[in-house]
Amino acid sequence: MSTPSGHSAATPSEQTSSVLEFANCQWRVHRPKPFVLVIEGEEKDFKGHVPPAPTDYLHNKLLLPEWREAFYKLVDATGLVVCLNVHTQHPTYRDVRGRSSKGRLSQGEYYHHDGCTGPVKPRFVEIRCPIQPQTRGVATAVAPHHDVVKAMVQVLPAELAATSALTTQDMSPKALEQMDYAALDHLQGLITRTVRKKLNAEGARSYFREVDAKANAYFEPWALGESRFIANANSGVTMQHRRAYQAPHTGGVANGHLVKRWTNEELLLPGQVADLALIAALCSEEGDEVDGERAEGCYLGAH
């Protein structure tokens, strides 16, 4: 990156912008957290303090076949790459499934990886807030996997830590530092199921709001036309995410919708063939719960 170039009116918060050279272009970017890179748009499109018009620079430049893998590696190495001000109607996106109720948290409100119940997980997930009449009022919290589990332990109420499922677990700071991803998944599943069983809905939401803060999660408000690429299962920084209500969830509030895709597995290069069995398995995992429960998964069943 080059020397900082100053703040733009298009930036969602007071951040110092800089320039990233990528894909034969210069991009205005900023880093609100060590694991987050926000791409505001092409540097040449910023004239004074007038925000540039939305374009589909995501598909027309960043995801062109000759640059796609380099962009994916940028996501791998960063953790979360945010692309602002993108206008696209690409057919690979689909609606995010699952809804929250006032009486029970949805699966998406717990920190999770996409594909968490299967042996093969998508490399990353792209979640997008389309340009639409209604703004998005519900946050999506994103944080590194290790930081999430560490925070879940740190803010866990003593009475929950004393339950039989958790008293046999070594949750000391030293043990957490040494855990690999499989061990973190196992401990996280135990804690999540305990929270789910012992706390009511708003008690669980309050607990996870504390986790958000302790894990230093990214949950900037969604901007219309924003895509978030969240590293999910890769060789770099593995993240987790969740739907995050920052106030009691009472329902009945108009809210913009999100769409998503597993870009690495679904946006194919010439000659590539989709793994339809994998896509079907991942999509089936996203189905709504039956009577508030699911037989298996990282929230209720063993990893």
Side-chain angles (χ1 to χ4, degrees):
M1 290 187 191
S2 72
T3 304
S5 60
H7 175 67
S8 161
T11 308
S13 57
E14 291 297 327
Q15 302 285 347
T16 299
S17 297
S18 57
V19 175
L20 171 69
E21 294 190 4
F22 183 85
N24 289 335
C25 297
Q26 289 188 326
W27 304 92
R28 179 168 291 202
V29 301
H30 65 273
R31 281 190 174 273
K33 294 182 184 291
F35 58 86
V36 183
L37 175 69
V38 178
I39 300 176
E40 301 171 32
E42 281 197 73
E43 175 68 9
K44 67 180 179 61
D45 292 334
F46 288 83
K47 310 295 184 184
H49 294 286
V50 179
T55 65
D56 194 1
Y57 67 80
L58 183 58
H59 296 92
N60 295 338
K61 295 194 175 180
L62 296 177
L63 292 176
L64 287 176
E66 60 266 35
W67 297 108
R68 192 173 301 174
E69 181 59 26
F71 181 73
Y72 290 173
K73 288 180 178 177
L74 180 63
V75 178
D76 289 340
T78 304
L80 170 63
V81 174
V82 178
C83 296
L84 298 178
N85 213 24
V86 175
H87 179 62
T88 183
Q89 296 179 324
H90 201 279
T92 54
Y93 295 104
R94 61 189 175 281
D95 286 340
V96 171
R97 298 171 65 180
R99 295 292 181 268
S100 303
S101 71
K102 289 181 287 185
R104 178 179 290 274
L105 273 66
S106 71
Q107 301 280 43
E109 289 185 72
Y110 301 99
Y111 272 104
H112 64 284
H113 303 290
D114 270 28
C116 54
T117 64
V120 180
K121 299 174 177 61
R123 183 174 178 178
F124 51 80
V125 57
E126 178 191 352
I127 305 177
R128 173 168 176 76
C129 186
I131 294 175
Q132 57 192 298
Q134 179 63 52
T135 59
R136 175 75 178 176
V138 180
T140 297
V142 185
H145 185 197
H146 186 275
D147 292 349
V148 168
V149 180
K150 182 179 177 181
M152 290 176 68
V153 170
Q154 290 175 329
V155 305
L156 188 66
E159 61 271 22
L160 298 191
T163 59
S164 58
L166 295 176
T167 52
T168 58
Q169 302 298 308
D170 186 352
M171 297 188 290
S172 65
K174 182 178 179 180
L176 290 173
E177 289 295 335
Q178 295 175 346
M179 285 183 182
D180 60 16
Y181 284 128
L184 289 171
D185 276 343
H186 177 70
L187 177 59
Q188 184 177 32
L190 293 175
I191 296 174
T192 300
R193 291 192 294 277
T194 300
V195 168
R196 184 180 175 118
K197 291 176 182 177
K198 299 295 184 180
L199 299 181
N200 62 24
E202 284 310 315
R205 291 188 175 107
S206 178
Y207 166 75
F208 279 105
R209 283 193 285 270
E210 291 187 62
V211 173
D212 294 341
K214 182 66 72 171
N216 192 30
Y218 180 86
F219 50 84
E220 285 287 328
W222 280 97
L224 298 181
E226 172 183 357
S227 278
R228 298 182 183 180
F229 290 83
I230 305 169
N232 184 68
N234 55 24
S235 58
V237 182
T238 296
M239 312 293 289
Q240 288 192 319
H241 61 283
R242 76 177 195 95
R243 182 188 302 129
Y245 292 94
Q246 296 304 302
H249 177 51
T250 57
V253 178
N255 196 43
H257 73 283
L258 300 177
V259 296
K260 70 179 290 186
R261 65 183 175 186
W262 300 296
T263 317
N264 181 63
E265 289 76 20
E266 296 184 279
L267 187 64
L268 302 180
L269 293 168
Q272 288 183 325
V273 178
D275 186 339
L276 298 180
L278 172 62
I279 300 302
L282 294 174
C283 286
S284 67
E285 184 179 276
E286 294 188 321
D288 292 336
E289 299 176 53
V290 178
D291 295 326
E293 300 287 349
R294 291 181 68 179
E296 299 178 8
C298 68
Y299 311 106
L300 298 171
H303 281 73

